[in-house]
Each structure stands twice: as structure tokens, then as C-alpha cells.
């Protein structure tokens, strides 16, 4: 909330004014979809919320490797092993925190559970917005039955 001043004992002190700019996950996704459907508003979406395919031309680039955030440690170690095989035991650990499954295994896709809180309409909208990234970078569409 906003506070103009505080009183401590007999002294009055000025506090900075705080604004609460938090937004729920559902409202955030709604805003992205609303802005994505209007080309004038799309320019107001922060770059790291835009599909990667809008910021570079993946069709014009020849990729040797594509690293997914969900498997970044494994992907990076694979590349290091392929490209720097002459260096023994070159490995990177824990570039991305993953959740542990009940059976003790790791679940790099645990963040997908947050999509379970969204309506099918919102999930479909966000997937339409990122459709080129899904196709270009090997991601599957969200499967509610699998993750919820």
C-alpha cells in the first residue's frame, strides 16, 4: 500500500511510497494474449515475453544445437562432450533447478503445472502466440491430462 509518513516515538519520518505492481499468473497470461492479438499492443510486450521467433529468424539460421531450459544441464553437457571430448570430465552441474518427483527422480517440466490453473482458452491462446517457437524448437503442446 501507499504510506506517506510514520510516527516512531516522538519523531516523524518520511517513508518511500510503495506501489504494488504484482499480477496473478492468470492475469499475466491474459494480458500477453490480449497484446499478442493486437499488433499495436504487441510492441509493448517486454522482449523476454515474446516468442523467440519474433526476435530472430530461426529459418535463416543453421543451428548445430538447440538447448531447452528444462534440460539445459544435460544439453550443455552433451555439447561439451561432443565439442570438447579431448577434455576429460568437463561437466556443468545444476544450471537449472528442477523439482524432485515423489520417487526421487527429477522432473524438469514441473513448471508446466502452473498451466493447470489456466482455462483451456488461455492455454490455447498462449500456445497460438508461441506456435512458431513450438515448431522451430521442438516443444510439444501442453497436455492437460499429462501434467494436471
Amino acid at each position: 500500500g501507499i504510506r506517506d509518513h510514520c510516527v516512531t516515538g516522538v519523531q516523524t519520518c518520511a517513508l518511500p511510497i510503495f506501489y504494488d505492481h504484482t499480477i496473478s499468473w492468470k492475469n499475466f497470461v491474459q494480458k500477453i494474449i490480449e497484446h499478442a492479438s493486437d499488433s499495436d499492443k504487441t510492441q509493448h510486450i517486454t522482449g523476454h515475453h515474446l516468442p523467440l521467433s519474433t526476435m530472430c529468424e530461426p529459418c535463416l539460421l543453421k543451428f548445430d544445437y538447440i538447448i531447452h531450459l528444462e534440460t539445459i544441464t544435460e544439453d550443455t553437457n552433451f555439447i561439451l562432450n561432443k565439442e570438447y571430448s579431448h577434455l576429460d570430465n568437463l561437466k556443468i552441474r545444476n544450471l537449472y533447478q528442477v523439482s524432485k518427483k515423489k520417487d526421487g527422480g527429477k522432473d524438469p517440466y514441473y513448471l508446466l503445472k502452473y498451466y493447470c490453473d489456466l482455462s483451456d482458452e488461455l492455454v490455447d491462446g498462449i500456445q497460438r502466440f508461441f506456435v512458431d517457437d513450438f515448431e522451430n524448437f521442438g516443444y510439444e503442446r501442453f497436455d492437460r491430462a499429462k501434467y494436471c
Side-chain angles (χ1 to χ4, degrees), residues 2 13 22 33-34 47 49 81 84-85 93-94 102 147:
I2 299 173
C13 58
T22 58
I33 292 169
E34 286 171 17
H49 298 135
N81 188 37
Y84 300 97
S85 59
R93 293 182 289 148
N94 301 325
K102 291 177 185 175
Y147 295 105

Side-chain angles (χ1 to χ4, degrees), residues 57-77:
E57 294 293 332
C59 295
L60 299 176
L61 302 173
K62 181 188 174 294
F63 295 102
D64 291 323
Y65 304 101
I66 295 176
I67 296 175
H68 289 177
L69 178 60
E70 299 83 4
T71 54
I72 192 170
T73 302
E74 294 84 358
D75 295 347
T76 301
N77 284 325

Side-chain angles (χ1 to χ4, degrees), residues 23-42:
I23 185 171
S24 71
W25 167 241
K26 178 183 171 187
N27 288 340
F28 171 73
V29 171
Q30 276 180 308
K31 288 293 179 198
I32 293 292
I33 292 169
E34 286 171 17
H35 281 65
S37 63
D38 183 337
S39 59
D40 290 334
K41 290 183 179 179
T42 302

Side-chain angles (χ1 to χ4, degrees), residues 94-120:
N94 301 325
L95 291 175
Y96 179 68
Q97 192 67 21
V98 296
S99 174
K100 291 195 176 185
K101 295 180 181 179
K102 291 177 185 175
D103 65 3
K106 293 183 178 180
D107 182 9
Y109 301 97
Y110 76 100
L111 291 175
L112 288 175
K113 69 180 179 170
Y114 290 106
Y115 285 89
C116 297
D117 297 334
L118 302 176
S119 68
D120 289 337

Side-chain angles (χ1 to χ4, degrees), residues 6 9 19 21 43 56 65-66 73 84 93 96 127-128:
C6 66
Y19 298 96
H21 291 291
Q43 65 186 354
C56 67
Y65 304 101
I66 295 176
T73 302
Y84 300 97
R93 293 182 289 148
Y96 179 68
Q127 291 184 139
R128 276 194 317 269

